[in-house]
Amino acid sequence: MRLKDYPEIIRKAWAGFDNSIGVKFVEDISAKVSTNHVFRVTLDNDDIVVAKLSYFGKYEHFKEDHRIIQALANNLLYPFENVLARSLVKNNQVYTYRYQEDFVDTWVVFYNPIRAMNRLPKRLNDEQIKKLGNETAKFHLACLRAGKSIPKSSKNLRTDIQHLLEILDTDTGQYEHRGYIQLLRKQCDIFMKNIQRLNVSSFDKMPVFVDWNIGNFSVTDDLKLYSRWDYDWFRVSSRIMDFYFFARVCSNVGDRTVFSYLLGPLMEDRFMIFLKEYHQVYPLTVNEVRFMKEAYRFFILNYVIKYGKYFFHRSYCTKLQKEAYELYFPSIEGFDEDKILRALNL
């Protein structure tokens, strides 16, 4: 079987879940940006499920992530109890299917389709930004409470950056990042020293959804969070990991159609509006504010540099990595944490 025979893999995966109902057809509904693939599966009885197919990383991590997200979905309390799509369960466990043949190693998980309401406008006004800040803080508090009931994650900030350093010591890493090895090692060293200085290990830890673009969550008419269906970007970490992406949603530029991860949105006055509203509900600490710069640095190191070729198609990856070396890293020291501390009276 060729790697591109995804619908056939989906059919095999479904047969492993329930061979009493056949598959009528499989429709690719992927966003065409990341290397994950999403399908709408119509069964013979006209029921519909959603399948995600992935071949990035390790199967064990794929299973772990979906166990965590399922536990979170089941433990979020009102009004967020229906925000997340739930995976299909077999024998009291999230059902995952692994397909291996020749050089192909890929995995499938099924979800119940999630209902969606309104998308946020491409450019938010000040009042909408305030509502988003208020709602985000409430959702983070709900995630913090639910986080006490979820399985532990095997990944953390240190292990991820240490893994990048190990990659840079390999022949493949030396080749892929030639010309920038010293720069990357320096950025990793700065990150490691700063998370120790800020005592990041003491921060509240919860399930966070990095990369909250306007297109992957929906809201009610009064801008209450209604659903979030994209599992591509997820980890158990500090809530600050989410902030850069909410800065993008709040940005004066509005929702972007071209992928870029410039630092600018974190410094916009519009993001200060979001933070002040958030801070009233779930107060930030001085060290958490100072960690925003490091959370940004981590995203570039871990997701753009280390995993970029897996998360983005080749043209996006090449563009983003070039921008990282030329724009993202040089801009980090321009992060004005004092501006945010003043805005929050910290």
Side-chain angles (χ1 to χ4, degrees):
M1 179 178 291
R2 294 174 296 112
L3 183 60
K4 293 299 182 182
D5 290 335
Y6 298 142
E8 185 58 31
I9 295 176
I10 299 299
R11 290 175 185 273
K12 289 178 179 291
W14 179 258
F17 178 74
D18 185 356
N19 61 10
S20 70
I21 305 174
V23 172
K24 187 179 294 185
F25 52 84
V26 179
E27 177 188 2
D28 191 337
I29 57 171
S30 305
K32 311 297 184 184
V33 176
S34 78
T35 51
N36 282 324
H37 298 267
V38 182
F39 302 86
R40 181 185 291 112
V41 181
T42 304
L43 305 176
D44 284 343
N45 63 359
D46 290 327
D47 284 350
I48 292 175
V49 296
V50 174
K52 186 174 84 172
L53 179 148
S54 182
Y55 46 84
F56 160 68
K58 297 180 179 179
Y59 176 56
E60 291 71 25
H61 288 159
F62 181 83
K63 289 194 297 182
E64 176 186 280
D65 282 349
H66 287 88
R67 282 198 302 268
I68 292 172
I69 200 73
Q70 183 78 348
L72 177 62
N74 289 333
N75 284 280
L76 280 171
L77 301 179
Y78 176 86
F80 303 112
E81 75 276 18
N82 294 314
V83 165
L84 302 178
R86 285 169 170 79
S87 300
L88 299 192
V89 173
K90 186 173 184 178
N91 299 326
N92 296 318
Q93 292 187 339
V94 173
Y95 172 74
T96 57
Y97 174 84
R98 186 176 191 178
Y99 178 86
Q100 292 177 290
E101 183 178 319
D102 297 329
F103 297 105
V104 178
D105 187 5
T106 191
W107 327 300
V108 177
V109 66
F110 293 102
Y111 310 118
N112 280 311
I114 195 162
R115 289 181 294 175
M117 289 191 70
N118 308 317
R119 291 193 178 186
L120 286 170
K122 289 194 173 182
R123 183 186 183 279
L124 278 60
N125 60 37
D126 288 3
E127 192 58 34
Q128 290 166 334
I129 292 173
K130 288 180 181 179
K131 288 184 177 180
L132 181 64
N134 183 281
E135 188 72 356
T136 300
K138 291 176 179 175
F139 182 66
H140 275 168
L141 281 169
C143 287
L144 179 64
R145 289 191 292 267
K148 303 179 189 307
S149 304
I150 65 174
K152 290 186 177 181
S153 173
S154 62
K155 294 175 286 186
N156 60 52
L157 301 176
R158 285 185 176 279
T159 59
D160 278 339
I161 294 302
Q162 187 58 48
H163 183 215
L164 173 57
L165 288 169
E166 291 168 2
I167 290 173
L168 295 179
D169 285 335
T170 67
D171 291 342
T172 300
Q174 293 276 329
Y175 175 76
E176 289 184 354
H177 304 292
R178 58 193 180 280
Y180 298 103
I181 301 296
Q182 291 307 115
L183 169 65
L184 293 176
R185 285 182 175 147
K186 178 181 177 181
Q187 292 294 324
C188 290
D189 184 60
I190 292 172
F191 176 80
M192 291 290 210
K193 288 179 178 177
N194 281 339
I195 64 170
Q196 182 174 357
R197 176 178 61 85
L198 296 172
N199 196 21
V200 172
S201 61
S202 70
F203 291 1
D204 286 347
K205 187 177 288 188
M206 67 183 71
V208 293
F209 298 86
V210 294
D211 202 16
W212 287 75
N213 292 317
I214 287 175
N216 65 18
F217 66 102
S218 74
V219 295
T220 62
D221 290 340
D222 58 352
L223 296 186
K224 300 294 185 183
L225 181 60
Y226 185 76
S227 61
R228 204 279 191 186
W229 53 85
D230 181 358
Y231 286 4
D232 283 2
W233 305 87
F234 158 78
R235 64 184 298 123
V236 177
S237 190
S238 162
R239 55 182 166 153
I240 304 302
M241 298 299 293
D242 271 346
F243 276 55
Y244 173 71
F245 303 96
F246 278 111
R248 286 167 56 89
V249 172
C250 295
S251 173
N252 191 52
V253 177
D255 197 17
R256 289 158 171 74
T257 55
V258 178
F259 273 75
S260 183
Y261 291 109
L262 293 167
L263 181 72
L266 283 170
M267 291 290 96
E268 288 187 35
D269 290 340
R270 292 163 62 85
F271 185 51
M272 302 304 123
I273 296 172
F274 172 94
L275 285 176
K276 283 191 277 190
E277 198 68 25
Y278 181 104
H279 186 62
Q280 290 181 26
V281 178
Y282 187 179
L284 294 157
T285 67
V286 170
N287 275 1
E288 283 178 316
V289 170
R290 297 192 186 283
F291 177 60
M292 284 186 199
K293 176 168 70 174
E294 297 310 317
Y296 174 80
R297 193 191 314 267
F298 176 84
F299 180 83
I300 302 305
L301 285 169
N302 198 59
Y303 294 115
V304 174
I305 300 298
K306 185 171 76 173
Y307 289 146
K309 65 181 180 181
Y310 302 105
F311 284 148
F312 304 104
H313 287 308
R314 183 172 299 177
S315 59
Y316 282 127
C317 178
T318 300
K319 171 184 179 295
L320 292 173
Q321 290 188 346
K322 185 174 187 294
E323 288 182 353
Y325 300 131
E326 298 178 359
L327 298 173
Y328 305 158
F329 289 133
S331 74
I332 289 178
E333 299 314 314
F335 177 78
D336 186 359
E337 56 198 26
D338 290 333
K339 176 180 179 179
I340 298 176
L341 292 170
R342 288 193 300 271
L344 301 182
N345 294 316
L346 289 174

